[in-house]
Amino acid sequence: VLFYSEHVFKDKSAKKKMTPLIKQLTKMFDGVEAVMGQQKEMAESAYRDAVAEAGPGQEKMTQGWKVLGLDKETATGIFEETKALGFLSRKELWEKEENDVAREQYEAEERLRQELRDSVDKDGNVIDPDADVDPDKVITDEDLNQDWEDDDAGDEEPTSGGAKECGNCGYTMFIAKGREGRFFSS
């Protein structure tokens, strides 16, 4: 409301009617400087949106910066920045930023995978960068994406450690590795 009263209402009587509201807003937002700072941010944001909406192909600054109370230097900076970003709207910029972050994360993960492939073979031996490696020992993407299953997943009783549940009461006993014989000697 304050923004519109400052930039749209040019009649002195209209501005005078806004005085009580202006006083209230300055109290609510920590003084005149804070309110003026917010107004400036709103004006810059509105101009940025207007420039983006006008789209590519603009050869000169988008109109409206004077009405918003911006100086030519600020308006030129906003125009050039928006132009450099391809006249994308805020929503498009946010989406682009999300995609850029996702792409950076994917690329970082791929670099880590490549480092792993280059440093360790399938047997867990460290690879000498200067030595030839047996192609059958090189870790592949398939190896990295494989879901590892427990070797004895089909066994009723684990061969080393594990949990056992009583069929009558449901009590679960967690058995330490190497102690299975103490509980299940047969």
Side-chain angles (χ1 to χ4, degrees):
V1 175
L2 178 60
F3 181 80
Y4 288 115
S5 73
E6 288 287 322
H7 295 93
V8 177
F9 300 139
K10 298 297 179 187
D11 182 35
K12 288 185 182 190
S13 64
K15 284 188 175 186
K16 190 173 185 176
K17 290 179 182 177
M18 297 299 291
T19 302
L21 179 62
I22 292 169
K23 286 181 181 178
Q24 182 65 31
L25 288 172
T26 56
K27 286 179 186 176
M28 288 173 48
F29 293 102
D30 300 325
V32 175
E33 294 83 20
V35 172
M36 297 309 280
Q38 289 176 348
Q39 281 190 283
K40 183 179 181 210
E41 288 174 13
M42 286 175 62
E44 290 174 359
S45 180
Y47 186 63
R48 188 172 288 110
D49 289 346
V51 172
E53 189 173 317
Q58 299 178 70
E59 296 299 322
K60 58 183 181 176
M61 284 184 17
T62 307
Q63 295 181 352
W65 58 273
K66 287 181 184 176
V67 173
L68 294 169
L70 298 175
D71 58 56
K72 188 171 185 171
E73 183 180 337
T74 302
T76 302
I78 292 170
F79 179 82
E80 292 300 327
E81 178 186 355
T82 307
K83 182 179 179 181
L85 294 171
F87 296 103
L88 298 176
S89 68
R90 276 190 254 187
K91 181 181 178 189
E92 291 168 327
L93 282 172
W94 292 330
E95 289 171 353
K96 181 183 180 306
E97 187 174 302
E98 277 182 7
N99 291 338
D100 290 348
V101 167
R103 184 175 45 256
E104 287 173 11
Q105 289 174 339
Y106 174 78
E107 290 170 355
E109 183 179 319
E110 285 302 308
R111 282 191 300 276
L112 290 173
R113 286 173 164 247
Q114 188 59 44
E115 287 176 20
L116 176 63
R117 281 188 221 101
D118 294 343
S119 63
V120 180
D121 67 12
K122 287 183 180 181
D123 297 329
N125 300 318
V126 176
I127 297 174
D128 179 4
D130 298 327
D132 291 331
V133 180
D134 181 6
D136 293 334
K137 298 282 186 178
V138 174
I139 298 175
T140 64
D141 282 334
E142 185 178 299
D143 296 327
L144 293 174
N145 293 331
Q146 180 178 357
D147 288 333
W148 296 99
E149 296 178 7
D150 195 9
D151 290 339
D152 58 356
D155 294 347
E156 191 66 31
E157 297 179 25
T159 57
S160 180
K164 297 291 180 183
E165 184 175 330
C166 175
N168 296 327
C169 67
Y171 180 80
T172 302
M173 183 180 343
F174 296 93
I175 305 161
K177 186 175 181 177
R179 303 277 297 167
E180 303 86 4
R182 176 103 168 114
F183 298 96
F184 304 99
S185 57
S186 57

